[in-house]
Coordinates of all heavy atoms in Angstrom, one line a residue:
P15 N -15.7 -33.1 -48.8 CA -16.4 -32.6 -47.6 C -15.9 -33.3 -46.4 O -15.1 -34.2 -46.4 CB -17.9 -33.0 -48.0 CG -17.7 -34.2 -48.8 CD -16.6 -34.0 -49.7
T16 N -16.4 -32.8 -45.3 CA -16.0 -33.3 -44.0 C -16.1 -34.8 -43.9 O -17.1 -35.4 -44.4 CB -16.8 -32.7 -42.8 OG1 -16.6 -31.3 -42.8 CG2 -16.5 -33.3 -41.5
G17 N -15.0 -35.4 -43.4 CA -15.0 -36.9 -43.2 C -14.2 -37.5 -44.4 O -13.9 -38.7 -44.4
T18 N -13.8 -36.8 -45.4 CA -13.0 -37.3 -46.5 C -11.6 -37.5 -46.1 O -11.0 -36.6 -45.5 CB -13.1 -36.3 -47.7 OG1 -14.5 -36.2 -48.1 CG2 -12.3 -36.8 -48.9
E19 N -11.0 -38.6 -46.6 CA -9.6 -38.8 -46.3 C -8.7 -37.9 -47.1 O -9.0 -37.5 -48.2 CB -9.2 -40.2 -46.7 CG -9.9 -41.3 -45.9 CD -9.6 -42.7 -46.4 OE1 -8.8 -42.9 -47.4 OE2 -10.0 -43.7 -45.8
A20 N -7.6 -37.4 -46.4 CA -6.7 -36.5 -47.1 C -5.3 -36.7 -46.5 O -5.1 -36.9 -45.3 CB -7.1 -35.0 -47.0
F21 N -4.3 -36.7 -47.4 CA -2.9 -36.9 -46.9 C -2.0 -36.0 -47.8 O -2.2 -35.9 -49.0 CB -2.5 -38.3 -47.0 CG -1.1 -38.6 -46.5 CD1 -0.8 -38.8 -45.2 CD2 0.0 -38.7 -47.4 CE1 0.4 -39.0 -44.7 CE2 1.3 -39.0 -46.9 CZ 1.5 -39.1 -45.6
Q22 N -1.1 -35.3 -47.1 CA -0.1 -34.4 -47.8 C 1.2 -34.4 -47.2 O 1.3 -34.6 -46.0 CB -0.8 -33.0 -47.9 CG 0.0 -32.1 -48.8 CD 0.0 -32.5 -50.3 OE1 0.9 -33.2 -50.7 NE2 -1.1 -32.2 -51.0
E23 N 2.3 -34.2 -48.0 CA 3.6 -34.0 -47.5 C 4.3 -32.9 -48.2 O 3.9 -32.5 -49.3 CB 4.4 -35.3 -47.6 CG 4.4 -35.9 -49.0 CD 5.4 -35.2 -49.9 OE1 6.4 -34.8 -49.4 OE2 5.2 -35.2 -51.1
D24 N 5.4 -32.4 -47.5 CA 6.1 -31.3 -48.2 C 7.5 -31.3 -47.6 O 7.8 -31.5 -46.4 CB 5.5 -29.9 -47.9 CG 5.8 -29.0 -49.0 OD1 7.0 -28.9 -49.4 OD2 4.8 -28.3 -49.5
G25 N 8.5 -31.1 -48.5 CA 9.9 -30.9 -48.1 C 10.3 -29.5 -48.2 O 11.2 -29.1 -49.0
G26 N 9.8 -28.6 -47.4 CA 10.0 -27.2 -47.4 C 11.5 -26.9 -47.0 O 12.2 -27.7 -46.5
A27 N 11.9 -25.6 -47.3 CA 13.2 -25.1 -47.0 C 13.1 -23.8 -46.2 O 12.3 -22.9 -46.6 CB 14.0 -24.9 -48.3
A28 N 13.8 -23.7 -45.1 CA 13.8 -22.5 -44.3 C 15.2 -22.1 -44.0 O 16.0 -23.0 -43.6 CB 13.0 -22.8 -43.0
I29 N 15.5 -20.8 -44.2 CA 16.8 -20.3 -43.9 C 16.7 -19.0 -43.1 O 15.8 -18.3 -43.2 CB 17.7 -20.1 -45.2 CG1 17.0 -19.1 -46.1 CG2 17.9 -21.4 -45.9 CD1 17.8 -18.7 -47.3
A30 N 17.8 -18.8 -42.3 CA 17.8 -17.5 -41.4 C 19.1 -16.8 -41.7 O 20.1 -17.4 -42.1 CB 17.7 -17.9 -40.0
P31 N 19.1 -15.5 -41.5 CA 20.3 -14.7 -41.7 C 21.5 -15.1 -40.9 O 22.6 -14.9 -41.4 CB 19.9 -13.2 -41.3 CG 18.4 -13.2 -41.5 CD 17.9 -14.6 -41.1
S32 N 21.3 -15.8 -39.8 CA 22.4 -16.3 -38.9 C 23.1 -17.4 -39.6 O 24.2 -17.8 -39.1 CB 21.8 -16.7 -37.6 OG 20.9 -17.8 -37.7
G33 N 22.5 -18.0 -40.6 CA 23.1 -19.2 -41.3 C 22.4 -20.5 -41.0 O 22.7 -21.5 -41.6
F34 N 21.5 -20.5 -40.0 CA 20.8 -21.7 -39.7 C 19.8 -22.1 -40.8 O 19.2 -21.2 -41.4 CB 20.0 -21.6 -38.4 CG 19.5 -22.9 -37.9 CD1 20.2 -23.7 -37.0 CD2 18.2 -23.3 -38.2 CE1 19.7 -24.9 -36.5 CE2 17.7 -24.5 -37.8 CZ 18.4 -25.3 -36.9
Q35 N 19.7 -23.3 -41.1 CA 18.8 -23.8 -42.2 C 18.2 -25.1 -42.0 O 18.7 -25.9 -41.2 CB 19.6 -23.8 -43.5 CG 20.8 -24.6 -43.5 CD 21.7 -24.3 -44.8 OE1 21.3 -23.7 -45.7 NE2 22.9 -24.9 -44.8
M36 N 17.0 -25.3 -42.6 CA 16.3 -26.6 -42.6 C 16.0 -26.9 -44.0 O 15.2 -26.3 -44.7 CB 15.0 -26.6 -41.8 CG 15.1 -26.2 -40.3 SD 13.7 -26.6 -39.3 CE 12.3 -26.1 -40.3
L37 N 16.8 -27.9 -44.6 CA 16.7 -28.1 -46.0 C 16.4 -29.6 -46.3 O 16.9 -30.5 -45.6 CB 18.1 -27.8 -46.7 CG 18.5 -26.3 -46.5 CD1 19.9 -26.2 -47.1 CD2 17.6 -25.4 -47.1
G38 N 15.7 -29.9 -47.3 CA 15.4 -31.2 -47.8 C 14.6 -32.1 -46.8 O 14.6 -33.3 -46.9
H39 N 14.0 -31.4 -45.8 CA 13.2 -32.2 -44.8 C 11.8 -32.5 -45.3 O 11.3 -31.8 -46.2 CB 13.2 -31.3 -43.4 CG 12.8 -29.9 -43.7 ND1 13.6 -29.1 -44.4 CD2 11.8 -29.2 -43.2 CE1 13.1 -27.8 -44.3 NE2 12.0 -27.9 -43.6

């Protein structure tokens, strides 16, 4: 419930047709 501690992380991957990418972040 409200006030409870919470912590999360993620190393998502995003790519675009132009070739730009964000990997392993």
Side-chain angles (χ1 to χ4, degrees):
T16 295
T18 301
E19 296 177 357
F21 183 81
Q22 189 60 266
E23 54 77 32
D24 208 313
I29 59 175
S32 61
F34 191 90
Q35 52 189 353
M36 299 196 318
L37 302 175
H39 44 301

